């Protein structure tokens, strides 16, 4: 299955970091279960929500970073 997360705002930064970098605690962060997804997982994240993510994590997962401003929403 393919999974898409849309994450926005500084108040989501800690939960996003725990989802992709934290100790596996799905009872606290159920979104960590995507680590076992057999499809693609796409995180659409604004700069504020991504502020705590390590650049090493991004490179290790083969992720592509695109910094685009979205207006009119």
């Amino acid at each position: 299955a393919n999974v898409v997360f849309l994450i926005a705002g500084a108040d989501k930064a800690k939960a996003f970091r725990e989802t992709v970098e934290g100790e596996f605690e799905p009872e606290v962060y159920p979104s960590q279960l995507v680590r076992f997804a057999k499809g693609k997982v796409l995180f659409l994240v604004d700069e504020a929500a991504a502020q705590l993510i390590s650049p090493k994590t991004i490179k290790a997962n083969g992720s592509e970073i695109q910094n685009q401003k979205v207006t009119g929403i």
Side-chain angles (χ1 to χ4, degrees):
N2 296 325
V3 180
V4 178
F5 287 90
L6 178 60
I7 306 166
D11 59 323
K12 306 296 188 303
K14 181 179 184 287
F16 179 50
R17 182 188 64 206
E18 293 301 322
T19 296
V20 297
E21 295 181 336
E23 184 176 328
F24 189 65
E25 297 179 282
E27 63 283 348
V28 179
Y29 299 102
S31 56
Q32 289 180 332
L33 293 170
V34 300
R35 294 179 184 181
F36 303 107
K38 295 206 185 257
K40 291 185 179 184
V41 177
L42 176 64
F43 292 96
L44 302 173
V45 184
D46 73 359
E47 195 171 301
Q51 66 184 320
L52 301 178
I53 299 299
S54 163
K56 290 181 181 180
T57 296
I58 295 166
K59 288 183 180 181
N61 289 310
S63 301
E64 179 180 336
I65 298 296
Q66 296 183 353
N67 186 6
Q68 298 180 354
K69 299 243 184 234
V70 178
T71 59
I73 296 179

